[in-house]
Amino acid sequence: RLRTVTGAAQEVAGITRTHGLLHIFLSRGTARRLFWLLLFVAALIGCTVHLAKLVQKFTEQSVESQLKLGSERAQFPDVTICNFKPASASLIRWNIYHDYLNKSWGNFDNWFQEDTKKRPQESDESYEDRLETVCKKLLDVMWVSGDTRDISHLDKTMLLSCRYNSEPCSHKNFSLVQTSRFWSCYTFHPDPGQSSSGSGGRGAELDMVLFTDETEFVDVASATSTSIKLRPIHNRLKSTPSRRCSEPPIETINYVRHFSNASLNVVTKAYSKSVSDFVVEAQQSILHSNCGCYSHLLPFSVNTSDLCYFAPPQEWITPSDAVLKRIDCHDHWFEHAQRQSDELAKEFQHRMWCQFTQQRPWQQSRRWPPFSAIQEIWENLMVPQVRHGVEFLPEDGKEHHIFRNMNQSRQYSQILPFLNDDDCMSFFCNHSHKDYYYCDTLLIQLYLKQASGCIERYTLSRSLASVSVSLQSPAADVYKEKAGYHWTEALSEVGGTLGLWLGISVVSTFELLEFFYILAQRCRGGTTGSESEGSPD
């Protein structure tokens, strides 16, 4: 057996390219053979350690980052306009609004009666804070019912002027987004064919003049001209052990974007799921499992009749115990769900987007409009809106509860607070002591342009804002991650390591396989190499 193994080894050693083996088997002196054996064993240990380091490096899945400036076509983003003050300041001066609250809601006298009473030895400050919380709950009940659509800002009255890439745009380019925080927001959707380039090789640009109604927008102040330049960066991330992402996104979800008339007309929009969306779903599940309804304070994908704060019209004046119980249950479990946010996020941390776009904004504001421009804005932007105002008609696609029987436009109501000159108002309103509801509408529309001298210019300037949103360049930057140690590189280094330490290549591997094959054949036949060669076929 020993002679068989030795013979096969000597035969392979004579042709192998593996360093050391040739010297081990062909050396005649014991000292030389022992030297090469020790050297081969040392090389084998060094190769094993080196290969272990390479395997560790490969399993770490390191990532290399690369930033290319202006290397891809930019995309103009959707721009959403939200007003910090949801209710229209000029509109709530109308008696029709207060009459509606009294007739339909009973001025909320029967809502949260225990919470509206002052408690013994309660400070005035604490009582006011508690009333503010109750007021917020009442507004949320109204919002879920859909009534707040009528008293919040309308895109048709808020948008005095709109141009996208120097071309006219209007409220038809905006879609309604209803949120409990801002009530009515409006999102501008750019023309896909003009999504990156503007005139003169510049980036796409959206220019608007807004009637703010003496309130503030989220990123834009009244009485200012604000320029927001965006520098988009396209992110392409690599999945790592600490951040797993899927491409394309593994799931999408439909959130309610617009609702009206107790959810009979619901419009949804699909979003690719992010970690926050998974958390929202988990939080909504907590609320539904405990209260049988969902929260309006989180994005939802159900009809508003399934929301905890929903009250059917027949219960607006006197809410039932079931409605009040659902609201109390919501408030308790919503706080619990919010406290679970971090833990829920960890459960879904591995689900993230691989590709997304970030907008790096640069914003600059200045006082606007100048005193000399107010008359021009009045005559060219506001007066035409009043003369061609859009009535509250069913065909506008929205359900109106409060103003469905109006014969006057919203544009008409928003200009009256600025006509505070006594002589002007007595002319328009027939000496009615500025009672807006008895003013001669036809007379106002006929002579409104000539009445520019009646307006309070300082008050009007505080209700206007100019906004410009533009791409800094038609090209976007690209941030890309790729594997820092690819499998092809790992294979090359493994080959180099085996060659460095042992002199083994792909061919050498087959030589070793051949050695074991010859050894197995001769051991099975019980012959040495010389005997095999001398035996007849």
Side-chain angles (χ1 to χ4, degrees):
R1 295 287 181 179
L2 182 58
R3 285 198 302 271
T4 300
V5 174
T6 304
Q10 288 178 344
E11 181 178 342
V12 174
I15 60 174
T16 186
R17 295 168 178 79
T18 304
H19 300 327
L21 291 181
L22 178 64
H23 297 284
I24 293 173
F25 289 108
L26 298 183
S27 297
R28 296 180 179 179
T30 304
R32 287 187 61 191
R33 186 171 294 177
L34 182 61
F35 168 77
W36 285 107
L37 178 62
L38 293 175
L39 187 62
F40 181 78
V41 172
L44 186 62
I45 295 174
C47 181
T48 303
V49 174
H50 198 159
L51 288 176
K53 294 289 186 181
L54 294 180
V55 171
Q56 181 182 3
K57 181 180 178 181
F58 181 74
T59 54
E60 287 177 352
Q61 299 185 11
S62 60
V63 173
E64 289 184 358
S65 301
Q66 186 180 49
L67 179 62
K68 293 184 177 180
L69 302 179
S71 59
E72 289 189 359
R73 183 172 177 265
Q75 183 77 24
F76 193 86
D78 291 346
V79 178
T80 300
I81 303 175
C82 294
N83 201 313
F84 264 139
K85 186 178 181 181
S88 173
S90 59
L91 190 63
I92 60 177
R93 295 186 178 99
W94 282 13
N95 283 343
I96 189 173
Y97 165 67
H98 301 283
D99 292 342
Y100 179 83
L101 290 183
N102 181 37
K103 180 180 179 181
S104 299
W105 291 92
N107 286 329
F108 300 103
D109 291 339
N110 298 320
W111 286 82
F112 312 120
Q113 293 181 350
E114 293 300 322
D115 294 332
T116 55
K117 296 178 181 178
K118 190 172 183 179
R119 297 166 184 169
Q121 299 180 346
E122 183 179 20
S123 66
D124 292 340
E125 183 178 357
S126 176
Y127 180 55
E128 289 178 1
D129 291 341
R130 196 155 50 80
L131 285 182
E132 186 176 344
T133 302
V134 173
C135 181
K136 174 65 168 62
K137 292 171 66 174
L138 291 173
L139 292 177
D140 285 352
V141 172
M142 283 191 67
W143 179 78
V144 172
S145 74
D147 269 6
T148 48
R149 161 68 186 170
D150 277 9
I151 61 176
S152 59
H153 291 271
L154 293 183
D155 47 359
K156 299 171 185 177
T157 60
M158 184 168 53
L159 199 65
L160 297 180
S161 173
C162 177
R163 299 188 73 84
Y164 179 64
N165 283 346
S166 302
E167 296 293 330
C169 51
S170 68
H171 66 274
K172 296 180 180 179
N173 300 104
F174 291 77
S175 62
L176 175 63
V177 180
Q178 291 174 293
T179 70
S180 62
R181 172 63 180 86
F182 304 109
W183 290 3
S184 294
C185 299
Y186 302 94
T187 299
F188 173 78
H189 303 284
D191 183 352
Q194 299 177 314
S195 59
S196 61
S197 299
S199 58
R202 298 176 300 177
E205 184 172 5
L206 173 66
D207 298 304
M208 298 175 291
V209 176
L210 304 176
F211 176 71
T212 63
D213 213 355
E214 300 182 28
T215 58
E216 302 296 328
F217 289 88
V218 176
D219 295 308
V220 176
S222 295
T224 64
S225 176
T226 304
S227 174
I228 303 175
K229 294 186 179 297
L230 303 174
R231 187 178 178 183
I233 177 169
H234 298 164
N235 291 271
R236 297 189 180 94
L237 305 183
K238 178 73 176 176
S239 289
T240 62
S242 61
R243 183 196 63 229
R244 297 291 184 185
C245 57
S246 58
E247 183 183 355
I250 54 177
E251 293 182 57
T252 58
I253 186 171
N254 284 301
Y255 284 142
V256 173
R257 178 174 59 83
H258 163 238
F259 62 89
S260 62
N261 193 20
S263 304
L264 297 180
N265 179 22
V266 175
V267 179
T268 62
K269 183 177 180 181
Y271 296 87
S272 299
K273 277 190 180 179
S274 63
V275 174
S276 61
D277 294 305
F278 286 104
V279 172
V280 164
E281 284 191 320
Q283 291 174 326
Q284 292 283 32
S285 178
I286 292 174
L287 279 157
H288 190 268
S289 61
N290 288 280
C291 304
C293 51
Y294 299 93
S295 175
H296 65 288
L297 300 176
L298 299 169
F300 55 90
S301 55
V302 297
N303 289 339
T304 50
S305 57
D306 294 324
L307 299 180
C308 300
Y309 267 62
F310 173 76
Q314 62 270 22
E315 297 187 23
W316 285 359
I317 295 180
T318 305
S320 64
D321 291 338
V323 171
L324 298 176
K325 184 177 179 180
R326 281 204 320 269
I327 293 175
D328 289 339
C329 183
H330 167 275
D331 294 345
H332 171 75
W333 285 104
F334 178 77
E335 291 184 4
H336 172 77
Q338 290 292 92
R339 290 194 296 268
Q340 300 293 318
S341 297
D342 293 338
E343 296 180 12
L344 294 173
K346 292 178 182 178
E347 296 181 18
F348 306 106
Q349 199 65 41
H350 63 287
R351 305 183 184 184
M352 299 186 69
W353 288 7
C354 275
Q355 296 191 16
F356 58 92
T357 298
Q358 287 177 301
Q359 302 289 348
R360 292 171 294 179
W362 178 81
Q363 183 171 333
Q364 187 177 28
S365 298
R366 58 182 176 84
R367 294 291 301 174
W368 183 90
F371 190 77
S372 58
I374 294 179
Q375 181 173 346
E376 182 180 355
I377 294 172
W378 171 269
E379 294 178 355
N380 296 333
L381 298 181
M382 300 195 71
V383 171
Q385 272 208 355
V386 177
R387 287 182 172 175
H388 305 92
V390 181
E391 310 295 341
F392 287 98
L393 301 176
E395 54 264 26
D396 70 354
K398 307 297 186 299
E399 181 71 20
H400 299 289
H401 295 175
I402 303 176
F403 301 106
R404 55 189 164 197
N405 298 319
M406 287 291 296
N407 58 5
Q408 295 175 347
S409 66
R410 276 282 285 269
Q411 291 88 342
Y412 169 77
S413 68
Q414 74 184 27
I415 60 96
L416 290 178
F418 307 112
L419 296 175
N420 287 332
D421 182 87
D422 290 339
D423 293 334
C424 292
M425 293 310 298
S426 61
F427 175 75
F428 289 128
C429 302
N430 299 321
H431 303 284
S432 58
H433 303 290
K434 295 186 286 188
D435 186 344
Y436 297 162
Y437 310 100
Y438 297 99
C439 296
D440 190 331
T441 305
L442 295 178
L443 196 63
I444 290 178
Q445 292 181 351
L446 183 63
Y447 293 104
L448 193 59
K449 189 172 183 178
Q450 288 81 353
S452 58
C454 299
I455 62 174
E456 291 190 354
R457 302 193 178 196
Y458 175 72
T459 305
L460 178 59
S461 67
R462 294 173 55 190
S463 295
L464 300 172
S466 174
V467 184
S468 174
V469 182
S470 62
L471 294 176
Q472 202 169 35
S473 168
D477 301 335
V478 177
Y479 174 78
K480 186 176 181 180
E481 294 180 346
K482 65 178 183 178
Y485 194 56
H486 201 264
W487 69 269
T488 54
E489 298 176 83
L491 183 61
S492 299
E493 288 204 29
V494 168
T497 301
L498 292 174
L500 172 67
W501 291 98
L502 302 175
I504 296 178
S505 64
V506 175
V507 176
S508 302
T509 305
F510 285 100
E511 290 172 352
L512 291 175
L513 294 176
E514 182 186 32
F515 164 68
F516 289 113
Y517 173 76
I518 295 174
L519 184 61
Q521 289 293 101
R522 291 183 180 179
C523 288
R524 187 181 299 113
T527 61
T528 64
S530 58
E531 290 173 347
S532 176
E533 291 174 0
S535 62
D537 294 334

